[in-house]
Amino acid sequence: MQMLIPQVTNLRLLFFSPFPCLSSLSPLTIKPYKPRSLFTALASSYRKRHCPLPNNQPPNLRARNKSTLRESGGGKDKSMEEATEAKKADIAGFNKRRAEGNDKSDRPKKNLQRKVRSLNPINTLSYVQILGTGMDTHDTSPSVLLFFDKQRFIFNAGEGLQRFCTEHKIKLSKIDHIFLSRVCSETAGGLPGLLLTLAGMGEEGMSVNVWGPSDLKYLVDAMRCFIPNAAMVHTRSFGPTLGSVGGFMDDQTKFKEPIVLVDDEVVNISAILLLPNFSKGTGLPNEVTSTQNPTEKVLDDRIGHASQPFRLNGNSRPNAKPGDMSVVYICELPEIKGKFDPEKAKALGLKPGSKYRELQLGNSVHSDFQNITVHPSDVMEPSIPGPIVLLVDCPTESHLEELVSIKCLSRYYVDFSGPPENAKGVTCVIHLGPASLISSPNYQSWMKRFGLAQHIMAGNERKNVEIPILRASARIAARLNYLCPQFFPAPGFWSLQNLDCLAPESTASSEGSISKSCESISAENLLKFTLRPYARLGLDRSVIPSQVASSEIIDELISEIPEVVDAAHCVSRFWHQSTETNGEISLTKGDEVLVEEPWYNENTLPSCVENIRRDDLEIVLLGTGSSQPSKYRNVTSIHINLFSKGGLLLDCGEGTLGQLKRRYGVEGADNAVRGLSCIWISHIHADHHTGLARILTLRRDLLKGVPHEPLLVVGPRKLKFFLDAYQRLEDLDMQFLDCKHTTEASLLAFEGVTEPNRDYSSPASPTRFEDMSIKNTERQLAERVDSTLFAKGSRMQSYWKRPGSPIDNSVVPIVKSLQKVLNETGLEALISFPVIHCPQAFGVVLQASERLNSVGKMIPGWKVVYSGDTRPCPELIDASRGATVLIHEASYDATFEDGMVDEAVARNHSTTKEAIEVGNSAGVYRIILTHFSQRYPKIPVLDDTHMHKTCIGFDMMSINIADLPVAPKVLPYLKLLFRDEMIVDEEDELIEAASVPS
């Protein structure tokens, strides 16, 4: 058996200058062998590997200009060369400090103070609006916008909220407050990205008030790992504190009344807590106190008290957990005063002037000509009560029991028996709970108590799948599917359009008694309910997007680009030719008329792809953008689909679950999540990992009651801090393995190390024997790791091995779990390697075991390399030697804009040209470019001479390993598809959507 073993260097070059001259590196000799196990294979590869630099070649490799990797010519002026050298030295120093995590002094400090806006108490326009997050894919809870002339309030911030607001030009910078109805991944998954975006706006940045029940502190603790403290100084929690074992630590009786959060001349917003009947304990400890005045409970991010476990009084039952608290928000607008009647004032002996104004302000005055006191009610028409909106999140039957028994809500019921002046009529109720619960008889009876209030059912319903929320990306997906359905399968939401029979009926139609007493409708994307002006009070469907079928999009495409019909036929023929000629593809004369490319017949099929089975590997690009979600590209995530053997995720940015559902459909995505064997995270930046919690919690729920292993998450050490803190909020059902323990050197160190012996048959006492085994294991690990990755005097010793961080014996069984995962998925190895981007940034190698192809022949396993975010570096080149596929970030397009190389260097990213040259230097068969900056057009500008083995990634692009020979051939047709697209700066578009005043 001949294998292509991942050639991964030691960590010795991590801090070198980020200007590699790729052609200067000597190629590695890859020798055939037949390993007996994963670790013996790694050991054999590691001991024989060498990668010498050329003689007299300094480790910091040569710099390049924006158009080439070759050295610049020698005709420059001496002063210019000196300036260039000085600039290179500055950049090299900056990147070294950045790699070491010591670049804070280079960054401008931001004082994130929330902007105080001038209020407009008249409020000529006000409404609540359903923001469609989650409504088409059911991955999150919908958000609700409460709009005023000068203020904006958002309730819930699920994943995808930022992307939705960008597409529909909802100004993020106008948001003053964010309220969470529950603290969980479903309602708050988009909050980290939103805070980071708001923190980056303007010269000084800005932040918003974030409100939530006391569980919010757990989320803040978790986000602290990757969000600046300054961005969270306005996070505020309210309600009783929960102990670590279960049960509330505070007297719950004082939270039975509404807690006022916002009270100004524009709106009064209060919260009523739904505390399921989990605990009634008393005698609570005093370590953490709660208050009914939330302004005194600002979470101080500089103090880590919330990270300490809370003690629970023994009287409490250990049933409650963080995330159980839910909130009913009540939004009350001030009353609308009646009009002033000057004729009545004149009849009562008043002269026009200041007394008229006093009466309009609500003050009584003395008549000018009569000996009487004139009251406002004498000259003013009756006031109109201000609209009241309730947002109700009732997720379970336990919450429903609490909801129907809350006494402080009685004043809002039509059958209120108290003093009439205390009665309040509700205008609109927005229900965020699941449709199954809302349709229950108890909930329906509770709804009737609000009389004729308008009820909007915003819980997830299957019927909403029909209309994609992200219409711009859906339009692109439909056009790509028409041109090349093999790489761009039909999106999942259109595949469900014929399943209307499965959709539950709306509440109004299923409950005739309810429709008679109150108005009840299902929420629609961007549906409004107008509150002001009073004359327009009620539903407003004017901005609801119309349903667009894929056929309409294709008709528009053919009308716009008639040649696309022939192009689609040409692309289709590629697959027939590839099947008939085993990957060798030639062009017909007719094809050459449409596309002329010099590299078309350049094909060398690797043996691992020869007659490969189609159920072996598919690479699905769920997100291909960088930094933050945009209209056309979501942030990074890659699904490695191994079909019957499960799958892996490489990075998991915000919205990954929604993208899975758009790709596979709602049910298909659930199956994909169930089948996940491992999630690998490259680094701690938010665009690479903030979708992780949503995936993990869904998998937990899908596998509830089914025997299964916790999901293995491999990531940088800092990610563990986030997950550990977050697990106090929600059980993630996972086990964590540090990337540094999956490097080639570390895996070699684990070779031969066994788990502590748990056999207590020894005469020694069980405790003493176990302690001795653990100490022996730790000593073995320390010796092996010190002799390789942390060798004395090595560059990486001071970086990785720090005081107070001894080797944890718990790593051994988790590494064994990784080996089990690899065996089950048919992989020979998963090896992480360091890259140059930020502290603890990695790339990864996936090496498949040898396998039978479609004709029964044993062939070498494929090799997939993912770069993560990085500058070109020797570690990446070495890891990519002989790879079948290199998935490489290409954040900057050096042909699009001057100075992009300098910016790529400054931000430790790669340009498109650099990414291609890395693949060429490593002898990679196919290069997939991804992680594009959101400022560029949908397809980057590329030099065709570099495209003989390269393809451009798009969201939802699905590349089967059997189709790799065809992949580069599709590029010219993609250029045709986007030839009339305007070159727009999407980053500017993002900022404009976020900050331009309405």
Side-chain angles (χ1 to χ4, degrees), residues 212-425:
S214 56
D215 304 337
L216 180 61
K217 65 177 175 291
Y218 297 101
L219 180 61
V220 172
D221 275 352
M223 294 191 301
R224 185 179 290 120
C225 300
F226 60 93
I227 294 182
N229 289 341
M232 298 189 292
V233 294
H234 301 290
T235 51
R236 307 179 179 220
S237 64
F238 52 86
T241 305
L242 186 68
S244 61
V245 184
F248 296 102
M249 300 174 57
D250 308 273
D251 183 4
Q252 298 177 43
T253 58
K254 67 179 181 179
F255 297 104
K256 294 299 184 182
E257 291 297 316
I259 305 170
V260 178
L261 308 178
V262 175
D263 188 11
D264 55 35
E265 59 265 44
V266 173
V267 66
N268 177 292
I269 299 179
S270 56
I272 297 177
L273 291 170
L274 296 184
L275 307 176
N277 190 19
F278 289 133
S279 173
K280 299 296 184 182
T282 57
L284 302 167
N286 298 319
E287 285 86 359
V288 180
T289 58
S290 294
T291 173
Q292 231 173 308
N293 181 2
T295 59
E296 298 176 5
K297 194 168 177 60
V298 177
L299 297 179
D300 187 351
D301 295 308
R302 294 164 295 181
I303 301 176
H305 66 271
S307 297
Q308 302 300 320
F310 298 118
R311 296 193 301 273
L312 178 68
N313 185 281
N315 295 330
S316 297
R317 294 199 300 261
N319 292 341
K321 64 181 183 299
D324 281 333
M325 275 186 285
S326 184
V327 183
V328 175
Y329 287 105
I330 304 174
C331 309
E332 302 185 46
L333 277 64
E335 67 177 12
I336 303 173
K337 294 181 179 180
K339 292 183 178 180
F340 177 77
D341 189 339
E343 294 299 325
K344 290 183 178 179
K346 185 178 180 180
L348 292 173
L350 290 173
K351 297 186 298 183
S354 59
K355 291 184 179 181
Y356 279 24
R357 184 171 62 255
E358 288 296 320
L359 288 168
Q360 293 179 59
L361 292 175
N363 301 321
S364 299
V365 298
H366 193 271
S367 173
D368 294 317
F369 300 108
Q370 301 179 29
N371 189 22
I372 59 173
T373 298
V374 181
H375 302 283
S377 58
D378 298 330
V379 295
M380 303 283 292
E381 294 181 0
S383 297
I384 300 173
I388 297 176
V389 178
L390 267 63
L391 292 98
V392 182
D393 189 352
C394 183
T396 69
E397 288 285 351
S398 297
H399 290 86
L400 178 56
E401 292 178 11
E402 183 74 7
L403 177 65
V404 298
S405 64
I406 292 178
K407 295 181 179 179
C408 63
L409 276 175
S410 61
R411 73 193 70 169
Y412 299 97
Y413 300 149
V414 292
D415 57 357
F416 177 61
S417 58
E421 61 270 16
N422 293 340
K424 297 184 177 182

Side-chain angles (χ1 to χ4, degrees), residues 837-853:
H837 181 59
C838 66
Q840 304 175 53
F842 293 88
V844 68
V845 176
L846 299 178
Q847 174 72 60
S849 304
E850 63 177 1
R851 56 201 58 211
L852 289 173
N853 63 12

Side-chain angles (χ1 to χ4, degrees), residues 717-734:
R717 181 179 65 252
K718 228 177 174 184
L719 181 64
K720 187 176 189 300
F721 301 154
F722 167 71
L723 295 174
D724 285 348
Y726 192 92
Q727 284 206 110
R728 301 181 67 221
L729 180 64
E730 291 185 279
D731 175 26
L732 298 180
D733 191 23
M734 48 76 64

Side-chain angles (χ1 to χ4, degrees), residues 429 431 447 454-458 461 506-508 518-524 527-529 539 541:
V429 184
H431 303 268
M447 287 171 55
Q454 176 67 64
H455 293 266
I456 301 176
M457 307 306 181
E461 294 186 39
S506 66
T507 304
C518 61
E519 294 293 331
S520 176
I521 66 167
S522 294
E524 296 178 77
L527 173 70
K528 289 182 180 180
F529 187 91
L539 295 170
R541 293 185 171 89

